[in-house]
Amino acid sequence: MPHVPTILVFDSGLGGLTVFREIVKARPDAIYTYVADDAFFPYGHHTEGEIIARVVPLIGDLIAQHAPDLVVIACNTASTLVMEHLRAAYTVPFVGTVPAIKPACAISKTKRVSVLGTKGTVKREYTKTLIRDFAQGCDVTLVGAENLASLAEAALRGQSVSDASIAAEIAPCFLDGAAPTDTVVLACTHYPLLMEQLTRLAPWPVDWIDPAPAIARRVTALLGPAIDAPAPPPARIAFTSGRQPGPVLARGLEPFFGSTLPAA
Ligand code: DGL
């Protein structure tokens, strides 16, 4: 009997759902637990030391609790820091989420690319190394958004988020002149939650690079393709704050989990 894998998807909040939905498409047969570390959100406002000290033991606890076959860290702010610590501490395979600089630079025609991430992600040595290794002659601008992850989270929680606040966060991505920016890397998993607003509010059309499909491909490369198995139990979601989603958030989560929302 082929094994049905259990996959744990982790983020600081609800942004990792943009990765989760792609993984579910690739492995609809798997058993899923999604964990949002909302008690420590937003990671972008914490120091590197604080994030390592928070995430490494927390993932250890989650592995002990859920016994996953694979863990996806669906957060750039964490993955650009903790992957080697996690792999050193635990034997379960990990897939991280890091800025998609290589594919973005490969498709840019104007050779001007922006990387839109949290303040933490754009400061990381890891991100700077990706640019050194994979810019392929592109001029890469790092843009650290102060509040965009929180705005995405608020929108999903049914709060009103003004176009002006989103436009202000993305404005520094758009450099014009002889070679205007034509490609923007979504280097925070929260941002694809705002895709409609991003495309509508962009000063001109660009390619927005979402790494989620590539992460799903990495998951199937490690676990293999979907197998013919009975339908799995519904995916579960847990919040480290212990909070249960109210009716408005439950509606926001419906596209990801369906109408029943079992807690993990
Ligand atoms: N979703 C996270 C990421 O991909 C960050 C949001 C936060 O600041 O916690 O970077």
Side-chain angles (χ1 to χ4, degrees):
M1 209 23 201
H3 176 66
V4 173
T6 295
I7 302 175
L8 178 78
V9 182
F10 176 86
D11 181 33
S12 58
L14 299 169
L17 291 173
T18 63
V19 175
F20 166 78
R21 70 181 163 199
E22 290 300 321
I23 302 170
V24 172
K25 276 189 219 158
R27 285 298 310 245
D29 57 319
I31 299 164
Y32 289 93
T33 300
Y34 183 92
V35 178
D37 188 12
D38 63 330
F40 209 62
F41 178 86
Y43 280 11
H45 292 190
H46 290 290
T47 66
E48 298 195 350
E50 284 166 352
I51 292 171
I52 294 168
R54 169 76 180 179
V55 173
V56 177
L58 174 57
I59 294 292
D61 292 346
L62 293 171
I63 291 170
Q65 197 183 337
H66 300 283
D69 294 294
L70 183 121
V71 177
V72 179
I73 306 295
C75 175
N76 294 260
T77 314
S79 298
T80 48
L81 267 184
V82 301
M83 298 313 294
E84 68 183 80
H85 298 275
L86 293 175
R87 290 187 175 116
Y90 312 112
T91 53
V92 59
F94 288 95
V95 176
T97 308
V98 298
I101 289 165
K102 187 178 179 182
C105 291
I107 65 156
S108 172
K109 301 237 173 355
T110 60
K111 297 278 170 207
R112 188 164 268 185
V113 172
S114 289
V115 177
L116 179 64
T118 64
K119 293 242 177 243
T121 296
V122 302
K123 272 203 302 240
R124 302 267 187 269
E125 208 33 61
Y126 190 101
T127 304
K128 293 183 181 150
T129 303
L130 287 177
I131 295 172
R132 270 198 301 277
D133 292 349
F134 299 118
Q136 300 158 75
C138 290
D139 183 353
V140 179
T141 303
L142 289 167
V143 177
E146 185 73 40
N147 292 313
L148 200 52
S150 299
L151 293 172
E153 192 101 357
L156 195 64
R157 288 171 187 275
Q159 293 154 24
S160 90
V161 172
S162 74
D163 282 355
S165 58
I166 295 173
E169 296 269 6
I170 66 172
C173 292
F174 291 83
L175 303 174
D176 59 11
T181 308
D182 69 353
T183 309
V184 178
V185 178
L186 296 170
C188 169
T189 54
H190 278 74
Y191 304 164
L193 293 172
L194 296 171
M195 216 51 240
E196 183 276 318
Q197 293 93 324
L198 297 179
T199 43
R200 182 166 51 77
L201 298 169
W204 57 82
V206 291
D207 282 318
W208 301 92
I209 309 296
D210 176 359
I215 292 160
R217 285 195 294 277
R218 180 76 192 131
V219 168
T220 51
L222 289 172
L223 292 178
I227 58 172
D228 205 2
R236 294 170 179 274
I237 185 165
F239 295 87
T240 54
S241 65
R243 271 197 293 270
Q244 292 302 313
V248 178
L249 177 56
R251 250 197 318 283
L253 295 177
E254 239 181 78
F256 303 95
F257 291 92
S259 53
T260 51
L261 197 62

